[in-house]
Amino acid sequence: MSTSEQRDAILVSLIIPTYNREELLVNTLRCAFRQDRDDYEIVVVDQTPEHDTATRDFLHENAGQINLVRLSKASVTAARNAGMRAARGKIFVFIDDDTSFAPDFLSRHLDAYANGIGAVQGRITEEGSPEHDRPIWVNRWIRFSGGDNCPHDGATNNLTGCNFSVLREVNEKTGGFDERYVGVAVREESDYAQRVLAAGYRIGYSARAAVFHHRSNRGGHGAGGDLIFFSPAYYFSELLFARKHFSPLAVAMYRVRLKLRGWRAIRHLVKHAEKEVDKVLVNTK
């Protein structure tokens, strides 16, 4: 088979950005290897300075099944763009490096494409996460409703980077991810979704294209938990998203809500500190 024929044979590129993940990355790749089709490739965009011995050996032993791209500077948006530049498929499927999924995962993403669908959001479940009655939706006042753990197919106008896909031709029109979203990774997928819609495509939600998100506190790009509200990059990303896609009035109202989030986070931090001080003083009496 010629190089051109090999390229044409690849329909799906599974793109996995990774940063400082070890056992979970290996688990994710094991799921990727077990897909029920042979017209796909696995693109790993590795931003980890140095893996532990077990992970390094695993990547070496399975090098023939992985297109490994290395980036020296960690950035989830730059990693996704690098993955798409290296990918050969006609459809790009993105997942996080701490997910588990069934052998029909890629097939379910492909099943969701129909006329006018340019991107697909897949279902995301986590330990203890409640089911939502409809897929996630953001209104013109930047308020999100529904969620990604919905058992029913439907329409959405948002994407969550843990599990979504997009047609190559759509990405060429959107210009890829905005690499100004750095540090704490928030809203860069929502930004991308708004540009998919602006290009004239619809976004579908597939309940069967599902992953389980382990949401590890180690590795990844986010600050994790309540710490995210103490990161300047979080507020930068939220405001960049708002100002790019929404009205000045909606942005003004959103700015107030962001300030309230920050104040609540500080109050929570002080309250937690007070409890810890109480424990220390009691134990030293």
Side-chain angles (χ1 to χ4, degrees):
M1 184 181 294
S2 68
T3 302
S4 176
E5 290 174 328
Q6 289 177 332
R7 185 181 299 110
D8 291 340
I10 299 297
L11 178 60
V12 187
S13 295
L14 178 61
I15 302 174
I16 311 172
T18 185
Y19 177 64
N20 283 346
R21 291 260 163 79
E22 305 298 338
E23 296 90 349
L24 286 170
L25 171 62
V26 170
N27 174 72
T28 299
L29 287 172
R30 291 190 192 281
C31 293
F33 295 157
R34 293 195 291 263
Q35 294 301 289
D36 63 1
R37 54 192 314 122
D38 56 12
D39 57 352
Y40 75 101
E41 65 173 349
I42 301 168
V43 180
V44 174
V45 186
D46 194 354
Q47 304 151 92
T48 304
E50 185 174 356
H51 285 293
D52 64 26
T53 301
T55 305
R56 189 166 57 249
D57 289 347
F58 179 87
L59 292 173
H60 177 74
E61 292 166 3
N62 294 279
Q65 300 185 71
I66 301 170
N67 180 0
L68 187 63
V69 178
R70 295 196 180 275
L71 292 185
S72 59
K73 184 178 180 180
S75 164
V76 67
T77 47
R80 290 191 182 124
N81 286 337
M84 289 189 287
R85 287 193 298 271
R88 295 176 291 164
K90 297 178 181 178
I91 297 176
F92 304 140
V93 179
F94 293 90
I95 57 172
D96 280 1
D97 56 356
D98 58 346
T99 54
S100 299
F101 44 95
D104 64 350
F105 171 69
L106 293 179
S107 295
R108 296 306 187 184
H109 262 280
L110 267 65
D111 291 344
Y113 281 90
N115 293 335
I117 295 291
V120 172
Q121 174 63 49
R123 186 177 184 180
I124 302 169
T125 60
E126 298 175 348
E127 184 176 356
S129 63
E131 285 190 354
H132 300 95
D133 59 355
R134 56 180 176 174
I136 196 167
W137 192 271
V138 56
N139 68 16
R140 63 192 182 102
W141 300 111
I142 325 179
R143 289 191 177 276
F144 291 80
S145 59
D148 291 323
N149 185 9
C150 175
H152 314 292
D153 292 350
T156 180
N157 65 351
N158 191 67
L159 292 170
T160 302
C162 180
N163 177 17
F164 75 96
S165 61
V166 63
L167 298 175
R168 174 186 286 273
E169 66 182 65
V170 173
N171 183 68
E172 291 173 352
K173 291 183 179 180
T174 63
F177 286 86
D178 186 339
E179 295 187 16
R180 292 175 294 182
Y181 290 90
V182 295
V184 174
V186 295
R187 299 296 177 236
E188 81 283 351
E189 313 106 311
S190 299
D191 176 287
Y192 189 85
Q194 291 297 312
R195 289 185 284 122
V196 169
L197 297 170
Y201 296 90
R202 293 184 292 114
I203 302 175
Y205 172 85
S206 172
R208 294 183 297 175
V211 302
F212 180 83
H213 187 205
H214 296 277
R215 191 174 279 281
S216 171
N217 290 326
R218 182 177 183 273
H221 292 275
D226 292 335
L227 292 176
I228 194 173
F229 299 116
F230 299 101
S231 170
Y234 168 79
Y235 298 97
F236 172 87
S237 296
E238 291 280 8
L239 288 171
L240 179 60
F241 168 64
R243 291 178 63 176
K244 284 181 67 176
H245 301 291
F246 296 88
S247 71
L249 179 57
V251 172
M253 296 174 64
Y254 197 54
R255 188 179 294 112
V256 172
R257 284 154 50 199
L258 287 175
K259 289 180 180 178
L260 291 174
R261 287 180 199 173
W263 280 114
R264 283 196 295 266
I266 292 172
R267 288 170 55 192
H268 176 78
L269 181 66
V270 172
K271 186 176 181 179
H272 176 76
E274 288 176 340
K275 290 181 179 179
E276 292 301 310
V277 169
D278 289 341
K279 290 179 183 178
V280 170
L281 292 177
V282 168
N283 291 334
T284 55
K285 287 182 179 179

